[in-house]
Amino acid sequence: MKRESRPPLVIAIVMQVFQQFTGINAIMFYAPVLFQTVGFGSDAALLSSVITGLVNVLSTFVSVVLVDRVGRRALLLEACVQMFITQCIIGGILMKDLKITGNLPSGDALVVVIMVCVFVAGFAWSWGPLGWLIPSETFPLETRTAGFSFAVSSNMLCTFVIAQAFLSMLCHMRSGIFFFFAAWIVVMGLFALFLLPETKGVPVDEMVDRVWKQHWFWKRFFNDEQAVEKRETEMIRPHLI
């Protein structure tokens, strides 16, 4: 709870909350139900969920390859654009063409499946793995264990909330559920753009000097300590003379 511990704590918790409010677990948990809703049979719906799972696994390797080349923020921001577009396309198709009987024209249903896969791919090379990587880089060693307990607890809580609420939200909001998650993705993108520092290539023991004290917002949590030390030095100096 110390002042200088707040920036990594806030980022760790917010990253986990945003990770779930992309809507990824809602889609992965209920992919068969979702695909049945848009007109696929039960067998095809299960096959589609297997495909999205494979996309999730394979796309994670993209993050492994690119994260130290292009940086964390670049992957997060690109994925926000990708996920926002796909959510809006899915929501637009469902709003326009989903019938009260729960069926879509076959062409539209195929587009929905493709867009879901593109969405899952974007998540899997960005907010999925980086939601865990970035906190591990920003927490100093002395607070990492306690900090990660907050992060994991936030993740599990939001996973529970989304899992419990998604089906009811889908039934009541219908296509609006995808615009709901799209709005969250906009908030995530703004957070990554303005408040998330780049940690590529920065050792943990240099994080304060090279990242936090250089950031336009978070530096205020660290510069006060320097100011206090300076004032104390100035107070002691006349007595020494």
Side-chain angles (χ1 to χ4, degrees), residues 1 3 23 25 53-55 90 93 131 134 142 147 149 156 169 172 187 191 199 209 236:
M1 295 296 107
R3 183 177 177 83
N25 274 343
L54 289 174
V55 170
I90 294 171
I93 290 175
I134 292 174
E142 58 268 21
S149 69
M156 295 297 102
M169 294 173 68
H172 289 87
V187 177
F191 176 83
T199 57
D209 291 327
I236 295 172

Side-chain angles (χ1 to χ4, degrees), residues 8-29:
L9 179 63
V10 169
I11 285 177
I13 293 175
V14 169
M15 289 289 292
Q16 298 300 325
V17 172
F18 283 161
Q19 188 186 77
Q20 299 309 310
F21 276 85
T22 58
I24 184 63
N25 274 343
I27 288 176
M28 299 301 287
F29 287 169

Side-chain angles (χ1 to χ4, degrees), residues 23-93:
I24 184 63
N25 274 343
I27 288 176
M28 299 301 287
F29 287 169
Y30 297 110
V33 176
L34 178 62
F35 290 139
Q36 282 181 325
T37 300
V38 299
F40 286 87
S42 58
D43 292 339
L46 286 171
L47 177 61
S48 299
S49 66
V50 171
I51 292 172
T52 57
L54 289 174
V55 170
N56 186 24
V57 172
L58 295 175
S59 297
T60 303
F61 289 101
V62 176
S63 179
V64 173
V65 173
L66 294 180
V67 68
D68 283 325
R69 297 183 182 181
V70 302
R72 285 75 168 138
R73 294 176 75 247
L75 284 176
L76 293 173
L77 292 171
E78 183 280 331
C80 282
V81 174
Q82 182 173 325
M83 292 189 295
F84 176 79
I85 292 173
T86 54
Q87 291 276 30
C88 289
I89 291 175
I90 294 171
I93 290 175

Side-chain angles (χ1 to χ4, degrees), residues 56-215:
N56 186 24
V57 172
L58 295 175
S59 297
T60 303
F61 289 101
V62 176
S63 179
V64 173
V65 173
L66 294 180
V67 68
D68 283 325
R69 297 183 182 181
V70 302
R72 285 75 168 138
R73 294 176 75 247
L75 284 176
L76 293 173
L77 292 171
E78 183 280 331
C80 282
V81 174
Q82 182 173 325
M83 292 189 295
F84 176 79
I85 292 173
T86 54
Q87 291 276 30
C88 289
I89 291 175
I90 294 171
I93 290 175
L94 298 186
M95 179 180 292
K96 177 177 177 291
D97 293 328
L98 184 63
K99 309 302 181 185
I100 194 66
T101 55
N103 291 314
L104 276 178
S106 58
D108 286 348
L110 180 61
V111 171
V112 168
V113 172
I114 293 173
M115 289 297 101
V116 167
C117 289
V118 173
F119 170 85
V120 171
F123 174 86
W125 65 54
S126 61
W127 291 88
L130 298 185
W132 300 103
L133 173 65
I134 292 174
S136 73
E137 295 177 325
T138 54
F139 278 121
L141 295 177
E142 58 268 21
T143 60
R144 179 172 296 180
T145 302
F148 251 96
S149 69
F150 278 95
V152 174
S153 299
S154 302
N155 184 287
M156 295 297 102
L157 176 62
C158 291
T159 301
F160 172 78
V161 170
I162 293 294
Q164 294 299 314
F166 177 72
L167 281 182
S168 297
M169 294 173 68
L170 181 62
C171 291
H172 289 87
M173 299 175 68
R174 294 170 63 82
S175 61
I177 186 68
F178 296 96
F179 296 110
F180 169 80
F181 288 126
W184 275 100
I185 291 171
V186 172
V187 177
M188 292 161 48
L190 294 174
F191 176 83
L193 182 63
F194 294 108
L195 293 176
L196 188 67
E198 179 58 68
T199 57
K200 182 183 74 170
V202 181
V204 173
D205 56 348
E206 298 179 16
M207 193 65 61
V208 171
D209 291 327
R210 293 177 56 182
V211 174
W212 299 121
K213 290 183 179 180
Q214 307 302 320
H215 193 273

